[in-house]
């Protein structure tokens, strides 16, 4: 049996529009499934954990955005029960890394026709992350994106956030240690990635591989504000690693310190001074195709 965990507020309620379509298609295929709804932050983790413990569970499917997928993943860690994703949120960034189609009905067909394979999960202090964490420019952009999400979907809120983020961006002074090597500097952006995309489809690390047992550290040192619009188009086209000033390192652990840091964790902002990142290799089973990732 498959359990579908639906976040009714994801995508400004878009999930509730597609749920009947999903149910109809599953019935047509003669599959035994059930649908449950979340009613608070963190509820999807509890529902996923409970579903995984039930006899005859063949998989747990997250229906929502990146936040819903993250919560379901937390409930399925090391359970051996495969996870599927039906994208119905605003950004849906992680699916782009693992090759899951963007249209919900196509994603349903995908998970019903693909096998489960292990993927890595990131560890952050005493919690987890699935996609990308970071501080700096992306946090400023996210602040303005959240407000825009209330009135529009897709990449448009992120474009609004980008424009306003350029105007209000400020450098962040960080000290970071990656696999024992330490550096201290002002940065425009510092990201630790398990996935390739953030911010509604921006390829912050086009070479990230979610099952290689490594994290990708991307650092863009502080740049004058007037320069940001000049390299932003190349960033949006996935050329960030080609910039002469970009620092990229694959590593198994990263320690990040910044006084009063605001950290973007899969779209959620945390306030903390220190962050310790690790990689938990192959701890999540996911319906995906390693050969169908976006580039």
């Amino acid at each position: 049996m498959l359990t579908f965990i639906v976040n009714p507020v994801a995508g400004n309620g878009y999930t509730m529009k597609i749920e009947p379509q999903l149910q109809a298609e599953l019935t047509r295929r003669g599959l035994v499934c059930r649908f449950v709804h979340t009613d608070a932050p963190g509820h999807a983790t509890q529902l996923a954990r409970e579903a995984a413990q039930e006899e005859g569970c063949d998989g747990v499917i997250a229906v929502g955005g990146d936040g819903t997928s993250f919560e379901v993943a937390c409930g399925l860690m090391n359970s051996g029960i495969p996870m599927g994703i039906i994208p119905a949120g605003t950004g849906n960034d992680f699916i782009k890394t693992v090759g899951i189609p963007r249209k919900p009905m196509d994603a349903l067909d995908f998970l019903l026709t693909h096998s489960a394979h292990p993927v890595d999960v990131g560890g952050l202090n005493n919690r987890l992350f699935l996609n990308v964490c970071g501080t700096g420019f992306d946090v400023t952009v996210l602040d303005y994106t959240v407000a825009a999400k209330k009135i529009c979907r897709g990449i448009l809120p992120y474009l609004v956030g980008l424009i306003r983020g350029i105007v209000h961006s400020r450098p962040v002074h960080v000290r970071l240690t990656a696999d024992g090597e330490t550096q201290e500097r002002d940065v425009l952006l510092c990201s630790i990635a398990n996935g390739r995309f953030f911010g509604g489809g921006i390829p912050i690390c086009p070479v990230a591989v979610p099952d290689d047992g490594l994290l990708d550290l991307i650092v863009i040192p502080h740049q004058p504000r007037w320069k940001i619009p000049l390299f932003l188009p190349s960033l949006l086209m996935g050329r960030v690693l080609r910039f002469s000033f970009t620092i990229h390192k694959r590593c198994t652990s990263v320690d990040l310190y910044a006084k009063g840091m605001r950290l973007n964790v899969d779209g959620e902002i945390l306030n903390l001074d220190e962050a310790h990142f690790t990689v938990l290799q192959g701890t999540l089973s996911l319906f995906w195709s390693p050969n169908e990732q976006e580039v």
Side-chain angles (χ1 to χ4, degrees):
M1 182 178 70
L2 295 175
T3 296
F4 288 74
I5 298 178
V6 181
N7 180 352
V9 300
N12 293 328
Y14 179 58
T15 49
M16 301 308 294
K17 295 180 181 179
I18 66 167
E19 182 178 341
Q21 302 173 39
L22 297 172
Q23 292 175 332
E25 178 60 18
L26 291 163
T27 300
R28 187 187 71 81
R29 297 189 183 214
L31 298 175
V32 178
C33 305
R34 67 166 182 160
F35 284 72
V36 294
H37 292 177
T38 63
D39 58 20
H43 192 202
T45 297
Q46 175 188 341
L47 292 173
R49 188 175 293 118
E50 293 172 353
Q53 295 172 350
E54 294 180 359
E55 185 175 354
C57 179
D58 297 313
V60 179
I61 317 303
V63 185
D66 287 321
T68 308
S69 296
F70 165 73
E71 289 191 9
V72 171
C74 288
L76 296 180
M77 284 275 294
N78 296 309
S79 70
I81 299 298
M83 171 182 168
I85 301 175
I86 303 293
T90 304
N92 303 307
D93 282 314
F94 188 65
I95 64 160
K96 303 176 182 70
T97 296
V98 293
I100 296 174
R102 305 181 191 191
K103 295 182 179 180
M105 298 308 294
D106 291 342
L108 176 63
D109 182 72
F110 179 93
L111 73 89
L112 294 176
T113 56
H114 283 72
S115 301
H117 300 276
V119 293
D120 303 335
V121 175
L124 164 59
N125 293 351
N126 59 350
R127 58 167 291 165
L128 306 172
F129 70 96
L130 187 60
N131 190 37
V132 179
C133 299
T135 190
F137 181 66
D138 58 322
V139 175
T140 304
V141 170
L142 184 59
D143 284 338
Y144 293 110
T145 298
V146 169
K149 280 184 178 182
K150 298 177 181 179
I151 57 176
C152 52
R153 296 181 64 249
I155 198 172
L156 186 57
Y158 297 94
L159 293 177
V160 173
L162 275 172
I163 295 171
R164 298 191 68 185
I166 292 172
V167 176
H168 298 280
S169 67
R170 294 180 179 178
V172 177
H173 188 78
V174 304
R175 182 177 72 246
L176 60 93
T177 302
D179 285 350
E181 296 183 5
T182 300
Q183 58 180 290
E184 187 168 350
R185 63 174 66 232
D186 287 343
V187 301
L188 174 67
L189 177 146
C190 177
S191 292
I192 296 88
N194 184 45
R196 297 178 177 180
F197 301 85
F198 73 169
I202 299 172
I204 187 59
C205 190
V207 299
V209 179
D211 62 346
D212 62 355
L214 296 169
L215 297 172
D216 286 77
L217 171 66
I218 305 95
V219 178
I220 300 180
H222 171 57
Q223 305 293 316
R225 189 176 297 166
W226 64 267
K227 279 190 176 182
I228 299 177
L230 300 181
F231 62 76
L232 192 58
S234 293
L235 172 64
L236 298 176
M237 290 187 288
R239 299 173 181 170
V240 60
L241 302 184
R242 302 182 190 179
F243 299 159
S244 60
F245 47 76
T246 297
I247 300 168
H248 174 229
K249 179 180 176 64
R250 284 193 169 104
C251 47
T252 57
S253 68
V254 177
D255 290 309
L256 178 63
Y257 174 84
K259 185 66 176 178
M261 176 170 55
R262 301 180 68 239
L263 189 71
N264 173 13
V265 182
D266 287 350
E268 177 186 358
I269 302 299
L270 302 182
N271 296 293
L272 68 174
D273 292 336
E274 298 184 36
H276 175 60
F277 300 92
T278 56
V279 59
L280 307 173
Q281 185 173 9
T283 49
L284 177 68
S285 180
L286 181 72
F287 291 110
W288 73 298
S289 175
N291 298 321
E292 299 179 32
Q293 303 170 70
E294 289 196 17
V295 179

